[in-house]
Amino acid sequence: MPLEGSAQVVGELASRGYNAEREAVTLIETADDPGETLRVVVDSVPADTLKITAANVREVRESLEGGATSSSRRTGAGTGTTAGATDAASTPDERSDAPEEPSELDTQQPDEDPLVSTGDSSTDSTVGDAAPVETGGSFERKIDEALRSVEIAGDVTGQSTGTGEYKNFVSVFRDRYEKLSSKLRGRVNHRPTSTIESMTGGSEVALVGMVNDVRSTASGHWLVELEDTKGTFPCLVMKDRPLAGLVDELLCDEVIAIEGTLSDDAGIVFVDSLHFPDVPRTYEPSYADRHVQAALISDVHVGSQEFMADEWDQFCTWLHGPQAEHVEYLCIAGDMVEGVGVYPNQDEELDVVDIYEQYEAFNEKLKQVPGDLDIVMIPGNHDAVRLAEPQPGFDDRLRDIMSAHDPQITGNPSTVTLEGVDILMYHGVSLDEVIAELPADKASYDEPHKAMYHLLKKRHVAPQYGGHTRLAPEEKDYLVIENVPDIFHTGHVHKLGFGKYHNVLAINSGCWQSQTDFQKSVNIDPDAGFAPIVDLDTLDVTVRKFS
Ligand code: D5M
Ligand code: FE
Ligand code: ZN
């Protein structure tokens, strides 16, 4: 088997489910017979091996070729037999530039190598067909793990104290009210509902409350009932006022502020202005200090008959290739597997029926990803964790199964900070609700990022309790967006969309599952096989297409 270049070695190994140390790839590539060397290496490593090491390859080369092997690429017996473009790298100049250190192999990169193209990295909002590396060429990712950082906050895992009792509901809503009202208090001079009741008719008043009910009156005005810790108060939004256009954005249980005039009998407020906790317009996001990228994906749905294995393979081959050399992080926002019993008749479309076997199969897919990526994963509604949000990260048994490349597993939602850039990861079940409740021009499946904007505006990832979204009552409300993230990453609706809201990048990341029968029946046309790639130094997005 001729193997031309490290990209192809990586691809061959990946297709067999292995990752490899860079030096191991180099040692295979420079062997007398790279194909035979790779085959023997793969045959000789223990069955549970995830990553081929340089030592594995050296051992095989010593038995096949005899003598010591060097990790330096264009030296030794292998050089003469490595065909094509890669040999062009062996010019004296490039060799003299190349340090001995094997991890700095990039300096040996031939400029003219046609497969080395990085035209994807800094273009805003680009969608490109990824050119997976199939043959020849070579590249080296400059990886300095010391520059990496991954921090996680807001994770409910291990912190869940809710028992589902009434008092837990009281405390979660109280916490929500506290956190969100504090964001509004500075903007209006509010009074508690109990005080407003005893004020003189005609007074100017302001109120911060949770939306308890929204209904239209017989004459077409809107009655919004707000609740605070002291009681409830009816607020009337006149239909001919410009702010009436905001009423159709309201969801029950979100926290807003209003200012208005008290009626003569002090029984109702006529609303003059309405405020959301919101993200300040002037919000200045943080950026990474160097050019580094994160791939943001979700909804892999391994175990479904519609899981797109070929497209996933292409994505992973691309990740190993030169165009992905700056991709050092992979964030997966839920629905790793298809799960069992999630929706009626789902079993008819299962490829793998056992939930643990689904996670085993997912782990095989994870093995295809380069081993030097940092991976962060949260669960979704198809995953085997409690459905109610906040969802804790996977239990130990599932963590043990999904161990390839040692991913960091955290709850849904969580804030994941990559080199100073805060990414709020949330699976996105509430998006169905936002899209169902809001008018189509404000939120739709075709523009899922606009639905995300509303969650940012409400500073809560799942405001409405008791609908599609199941909420677990905890002592505190993990679903409040306390700090403004730099990136908001969701999935779930299987549609790709991204845009900026007050400088926050909102990305809904599509899926790796083709249309299911249910989706066909309700006209959901999924965006499957896309990988949005974010430059963490600029927050620009490039979408790679593998379908
Ligand atoms: O859901 C993917 C999208 O499809 C999400 O918008 C919900 C919707 N969906 C899919 N199947 C169903 C059923 N059976 N009922 C209602 N809505 C559904 P995901 O949960 O990621 O598969
Ligand atoms: Fe999904
Ligand atoms: Zn989902």
Side-chain angles (χ1 to χ4, degrees):
M1 167 177 40
L3 283 176
E4 299 177 1
S6 57
Q8 201 185 354
V9 171
V10 168
E12 287 290 336
L13 288 171
S15 71
R16 292 165 165 81
Y18 293 101
N19 276 291
E21 292 177 0
R22 275 168 207 291
E23 196 182 347
V25 172
T26 306
L27 283 166
I28 293 174
E29 193 196 344
T30 56
D32 283 352
D33 183 342
E36 175 66 0
T37 306
L38 185 143
R39 196 185 58 72
V40 178
V41 167
V42 167
D43 284 348
S44 66
V45 293
D48 59 352
T49 301
L50 297 179
K51 192 169 191 171
I52 306 290
T53 64
N56 296 144
V57 185
R58 265 197 210 101
E59 206 174 299
V60 168
R61 279 190 58 173
E62 273 159 29
S63 69
L64 290 178
E65 299 166 14
T69 50
S70 153
S71 63
S72 174
R73 264 176 89 196
R74 307 294 166 202
T75 56
T79 308
T81 58
T82 311
T86 50
D87 270 349
S90 303
T91 63
D93 277 349
E94 274 152 347
R95 257 197 238 136
S96 63
D97 281 344
E100 295 305 314
E101 172 54 52
S103 64
E104 291 293 315
L105 293 168
D106 60 295
T107 52
Q108 297 172 343
Q109 183 62 57
D111 287 346
E112 63 278 18
D113 187 333
L115 289 171
V116 177
S117 131
T118 53
D120 61 326
S121 54
S122 58
T123 330
D124 198 10
S125 312
T126 311
V127 177
D129 280 321
V133 183
E134 278 159 14
T135 55
S138 60
F139 80 100
E140 300 80 27
R141 294 167 72 171
K142 273 190 220 162
I143 298 292
D144 181 352
E145 299 207 358
L147 296 174
R148 300 242 185 114
S149 76
V150 180
E151 285 158 38
I152 290 173
D155 177 11
V156 71
T157 312
Q159 310 294 319
S160 176
T161 52
T163 50
E165 290 168 70
Y166 176 75
K167 64 174 198 257
N168 300 140
F169 284 97
V170 173
S171 75
V172 77
F173 281 111
R174 198 170 280 257
D175 187 58
R176 176 185 303 196
Y177 181 76
E178 287 299 317
K179 284 174 174 155
L180 292 177
S181 64
S182 73
K183 300 193 185 302
L184 290 157
R185 273 187 217 129
R187 303 193 351 230
V188 297
N189 186 18
H190 85 295
R191 296 276 176 274
T193 47
S194 52
T195 309
I196 292 176
E197 273 163 9
S198 52
M199 286 169 72
T200 332
S203 307
E204 298 288 306
V205 293
L207 174 59
V208 176
M210 200 174 277
V211 176
N212 211 17
D213 189 27
V214 181
R215 56 182 183 272
S216 60
T217 66
S219 41
H221 304 303
W222 295 102
L223 197 60
V224 179
E225 190 177 70
L226 293 184
E227 180 175 359
D228 66 7
T229 52
K230 305 286 184 205
T232 62
F233 210 88
C235 306
L236 194 77
V237 179
M238 309 293 279
K239 65 180 177 198
D240 45 2
R241 301 286 301 270
L243 68 100
L246 294 175
V247 174
D248 60 17
E249 290 179 19
L250 294 179
L251 292 180
C252 280
D253 309 318
E254 72 172 294
V255 178
I256 60 167
I258 59 101
E259 290 170 303
T261 315
L262 203 55
S263 62
D264 289 344
D265 64 357
I268 199 166
V269 180
F270 296 106
V271 180
D272 293 323
S273 65
L274 191 157
H275 309 269
F276 295 89
D278 222 326
V279 173
R281 275 178 193 283
T282 53
Y283 177 69
E284 289 188 15
S286 299
Y287 301 102
D289 289 336
R290 62 181 183 123
H291 181 51
V292 59
Q293 298 177 312
L296 307 185
I297 63 164
S298 65
D299 299 274
V300 191
H301 289 267
V302 174
S304 159
Q305 285 169 10
E306 285 84 14
F307 167 65
M308 296 166 72
D310 291 346
E311 289 74 3
W312 181 265
D313 292 350
Q314 284 180 45
F315 170 49
C316 292
T317 304
W318 178 82
L319 281 175
H320 282 281
Q323 292 184 323
E325 66 172 320
H326 299 294
V327 180
E328 298 193 26
Y329 300 97
L330 174 66
C331 298
I332 313 180
D335 287 359
M336 314 299 144
V337 300
E338 175 62 8
V340 290
V342 180
Y343 292 125
N345 304 324
Q346 186 205 19
D347 49 330
E348 289 164 18
E349 290 183 75
L350 286 182
D351 188 32
V352 181
V353 294
D354 179 87
I355 187 71
Y356 291 105
E357 284 173 23
Q358 289 184 5
Y359 283 102
E360 305 271 5
F362 173 75
N363 193 48
E364 293 305 309
K365 299 298 161 193
L366 213 49
K367 284 181 189 171
Q368 290 176 246
V369 168
D372 54 19
L373 290 190
D374 271 313
I375 303 171
V376 186
M377 317 196 297
I378 62 168
N381 59 311
H382 283 250
D383 286 299
V385 302
R386 80 169 181 207
L387 206 47
E389 297 174 9
Q391 294 180 288
F394 301 98
D395 66 17
D396 287 346
R397 180 169 176 190
L398 293 175
R399 281 171 199 250
D400 285 347
I401 295 175
M402 290 185 280
S403 59
H405 310 319
D406 198 15
Q408 300 213 40
I409 288 171
T410 177
N412 169 39
S414 285
T415 297
V416 177
T417 305
L418 305 181
E419 300 191 25
V421 179
D422 290 340
I423 305 179
L424 173 59
M425 291 180 70
Y426 168 62
H427 177 60
V429 168
S430 69
L431 294 173
D432 282 330
E433 199 128 32
V434 173
I435 291 167
E437 299 277 333
L438 269 54
D441 60 323
K442 292 188 176 175
S444 69
Y445 285 106
D446 286 334
E447 294 183 303
H449 51 291
K450 292 196 177 165
M452 298 171 73
Y453 295 169
H454 289 278
L455 300 178
L456 288 168
K457 191 168 175 178
K458 299 173 192 310
R459 297 289 290 266
H460 198 283
V461 298
Q464 190 153 297
Y465 173 73
H468 283 281
T469 325
R470 293 173 177 84
L471 298 181
E474 296 287 351
E475 223 160 279
K476 61 177 198 160
D477 190 348
Y478 288 83
L479 307 176
V480 170
I481 306 175
E482 276 190 87
N483 299 314
V484 178
D486 304 310
I487 301 174
F488 183 24
H489 174 204
T490 61
H492 180 64
V493 295
H494 293 207
K495 297 296 279 185
L496 174 72
F498 56 94
K500 296 237 173 103
Y501 178 73
H502 297 183
N503 302 325
V504 177
L505 173 62
I507 298 193
N508 195 82
S509 53
C511 63
W512 299 87
Q513 182 188 39
S514 58
Q515 194 180 45
T516 63
D517 284 350
F518 169 83
Q519 290 167 352
K520 201 177 220 163
S521 74
V522 294
N523 264 338
I524 297 176
D525 182 17
D527 291 325
F530 292 89
I533 312 292
V534 183
D535 293 6
L536 296 176
D537 52 335
T538 58
L539 303 192
D540 288 340
V541 179
T542 309
V543 176
R544 290 285 157 193
K545 182 171 176 282
F546 300 95
S547 48

